Amino acid sequence: TTWCRWLSPGGGSAGWFLDWVEIDAQSLGQKLVFPCGRWLDTGEDDGAIIRELYPNPLQTMLYTPFVPYEIKVFTTDCFGAGTDADVFIVLYGRNGVCTQQKRLCVNKRERRIYFERGAEDMFIVELEDVGDVIEKIRIGHDNRGVNPGWHLDRVEIRRLLRKGKYWLAKSEEDGETVRELVPSDIITEKLGRDGGLKVTEIEVEDALETHGYSVAVMTGDMYRAGTDANVFLTIYGDLGDTGERKLSNSETNSNKFERGEVDRFTMEAVDLGQVYKIRIRHDNSMLSPDWYLDQVEVVDLDTEEVYLFLCERWLSKKKEDKRISRFFYVKGYEGVRESETSKKKSLPPMLDSNMNKKSKKKKEEEVVEVLPIIPYHITVATGVERDGSTSSRAFVVIFGAGDVRSDRLWLDLADGKSSF
């Protein structure tokens, strides 16, 4: 049985009406809500300023228990190696199990102290349990601060991981600020009968391979198809994903994502296996953020396999369905698809301030079939009759079998045209 006692001490205004308390026990994998709905005040209610609260079992959230990890980060001892940026890490175990993205510093003060040139910084963090073997890590930073560029020597995670020597800087090497590392050694520590500590180091066999991926992004050849916004890409395979990467340094054009142009990028990631999906988006920044994306081609440089993604959609707050983030599937893909709208965050239940007095009925969740999103090319022919044109906004709704229909698809006129 779990319970909570809450005390209201004296002070300038000691009276307090406590609604509820939430406790997140990460090492137990439980988030508990303790309802109260009463005064802690000597002049109100029963005059008590100490109350014992019990968790509401209907609001208890269970998840995979967290475990502590000792993470040692070694910054290279070379000029300009340190960083003031916000560093994060993700641990990956077998069978696709991974932790949440964890920031290693909790405030600006720590960011100024840690990750200096030649420094060894140790962090004890609680994260989801990824199992006995860590197959890779993803480590990066937000590229902010006075000196964000960072030269990483290696990372050690207690008894498991050691790997490194990369720049994480926009101005160095390939400009990447996110890296994926795989373990090279397993270090085991055992306490002997004599009280001594025996350390064994074994080289990892069958470690995951790092592959290079060439990405070609083709902007459509139509009026104002190019964008000045920042573009981000995530590649998904049956063995994992790259995480979101900013497409910063085009190998073919100094001015990226212009009308009718192809921009090429190279990135490294732990072997993704068979690539089947991408997510591409922009941040809607700059003066001309609207972008018509024609297609994306991904080539695994190690296996020479080519994956083609036909897009033919606007990523725009003003055009089509006003989305600036889209999923696309590899040409010929026949598996299960999901749309951007099908992803709903499951939020923890919130407690009504009067829940002690009444309960609320929960609405049953509707199960909605998610159909694949495909491009439609629509041509509109206006008649030649007198006054046959219109300056009104026009839309089309497409119907399929079983009363399946699209939303309203607004037919926005090309720039320079004021009517149909």
Side-chain angles (χ1 to χ4, degrees):
T1 300
T2 304
W3 59 276
C4 174
R5 173 177 290 176
W6 207 266
L7 166 67
S8 176
S13 179
W16 181 31
F17 186 88
L18 175 62
D19 194 2
W20 53 274
V21 177
E22 179 184 275
I23 297 177
D24 189 3
Q26 294 183 337
S27 59
L28 299 177
Q30 296 182 8
K31 182 178 286 187
L32 308 168
V33 177
F34 298 80
C36 180
R38 298 187 68 177
W39 281 99
L40 283 78
D41 190 342
T42 56
E44 298 285 350
D45 204 335
D46 58 0
I49 59 171
I50 298 177
R51 297 202 182 276
E52 293 182 357
L53 308 180
Y54 292 85
N56 180 0
L58 296 178
Q59 291 185 296
T60 297
M61 181 187 297
L62 304 178
Y63 54 88
T64 304
F66 285 23
V67 296
Y69 290 93
E70 180 188 271
I71 300 174
K72 289 184 179 180
V73 181
F74 296 81
T75 300
T76 308
D77 188 9
C78 66
F79 181 74
T83 183
D84 299 324
D86 197 2
V87 176
F88 64 83
I89 191 168
V90 183
L91 313 186
Y92 288 81
R94 288 174 175 165
N95 302 319
V97 177
C98 68
T99 69
Q100 62 183 326
Q101 184 170 297
K102 179 69 174 179
R103 296 163 54 192
L104 295 181
C105 296
V106 298
N107 52 44
K108 290 183 179 179
R109 177 181 172 275
E110 289 192 356
R111 290 198 290 273
R112 289 194 297 266
I113 294 174
Y114 294 124
F115 311 119
E116 293 297 305
R117 170 180 173 175
E120 172 188 335
D121 299 303
M122 186 179 74
F123 304 88
I124 305 295
V125 296
E126 282 198 337
L127 296 169
E128 296 90 339
D129 187 1
V130 298
D132 295 333
V133 176
I134 298 175
E135 290 199 329
K136 70 172 183 178
I137 67 170
R138 180 176 293 153
I139 189 167
H141 61 70
D142 62 357
N143 202 42
R144 296 181 180 179
V146 179
N147 298 298
W150 182 34
H151 197 276
L152 175 63
D153 181 47
R154 68 184 188 276
V155 178
E156 293 182 1
I157 298 180
R158 188 69 168 169
R159 298 190 306 174
L160 279 177
L161 185 61
R162 182 176 290 168
K163 187 70 176 178
K165 291 192 179 175
Y166 290 100
W167 271 104
L168 280 79
K170 285 290 181 185
S171 58
E172 302 287 345
E173 292 183 0
D174 56 4
E176 287 286 346
T177 60
V178 178
R179 300 281 184 192
E180 292 190 343
L181 311 179
V182 295
S184 60
D185 301 287
I186 297 177
I187 303 170
T188 305
E189 298 176 351
K190 291 184 178 180
L191 190 63
R193 293 181 179 179
D194 58 354
L197 189 65
K198 181 181 179 181
V199 180
T200 57
E201 185 172 338
I202 304 174
E203 185 176 348
V204 174
E205 297 180 1
D206 299 324
L208 296 178
E209 297 180 353
T210 300
H211 284 205
Y213 292 90
S214 174
V215 179
V217 180
M218 179 180 291
T219 300
D221 188 8
M222 58 175 19
Y223 184 65
R224 290 191 175 178
T227 184
D228 298 323
N230 296 308
V231 176
F232 303 85
L233 175 70
T234 307
I235 306 173
Y236 297 84
D238 57 5
L239 297 181
D241 65 81
T242 60
E244 187 172 79
R245 307 287 184 94
K246 183 178 178 181
L247 300 181
S248 300
N249 300 323
S250 173
E251 299 169 2
T252 51
N253 299 294
S254 58
N255 191 9
K256 306 185 295 293
F257 311 122
E258 291 298 298
R259 172 180 174 176
E261 294 294 327
V262 177
D263 293 283
R264 297 187 181 277
F265 306 86
T266 301
M267 63 178 66
E268 282 191 352
V270 173
D271 184 13
L272 301 174
Q274 290 295 313
V275 174
Y276 68 94
K277 180 176 73 172
I278 63 171
R279 178 177 181 253
I280 194 164
R281 72 173 184 91
H282 66 71
D283 59 3
N284 205 45
S285 62
M286 308 301 286
L287 294 177
S288 301
D290 302 338
W291 186 32
Y292 187 84
L293 176 61
D294 187 61
Q295 66 182 42
V296 176
E297 181 185 84
V298 178
V299 180
D300 186 327
L301 299 177
D302 290 74
T303 64
E304 299 184 350
E305 290 193 64
V306 180
Y307 305 92
L308 181 62
F309 299 85
L310 300 178
C311 306
E312 300 177 318
R313 300 290 301 273
W314 280 99
L315 281 77
S316 168
K317 289 281 190 179
K318 303 174 183 177
K319 302 178 183 292
E320 287 191 25
D321 55 1
K322 298 178 174 57
R323 294 189 179 280
I324 59 173
S325 174
R326 297 192 185 279
F327 286 104
F328 294 106
Y329 289 82
V330 70
K331 184 179 179 181
Y333 180 74
E334 297 179 351
V336 178
R337 298 171 183 249
E338 63 179 349
S339 68
E340 194 86 10
T341 56
S342 68
K343 287 198 160 187
K344 293 183 179 179
K345 295 181 180 178
S346 59
L347 299 174
M350 295 302 293
L351 183 63
D352 184 68
S353 59
N354 297 317
M355 79 157 294
N356 306 45
K357 305 171 185 178
K358 60 181 180 180
S359 61
K360 293 185 176 181
K361 295 182 179 178
K362 292 183 179 179
K363 294 182 179 179
E364 294 183 0
E365 294 182 359
E366 296 181 359
V367 179
V368 180
E369 182 182 5
V370 178
L371 299 175
I373 295 178
I374 60 175
Y376 289 92
H377 297 272
I378 300 172
T379 302
V380 179
T382 302
V384 297
E385 287 80 0
R386 184 178 179 180
D387 297 328
S389 64
T390 180
S391 58
S392 298
R393 289 194 72 196
F395 67 86
V396 63
V397 179
I398 303 175
F399 290 81
D403 199 31
V404 176
R405 68 179 71 182
S406 71
D407 296 329
R408 287 186 180 185
L409 306 176
W410 290 96
L411 305 179
D412 293 324
L413 292 166
D415 290 335
K417 292 192 66 175
S418 59
S419 64
F420 287 93

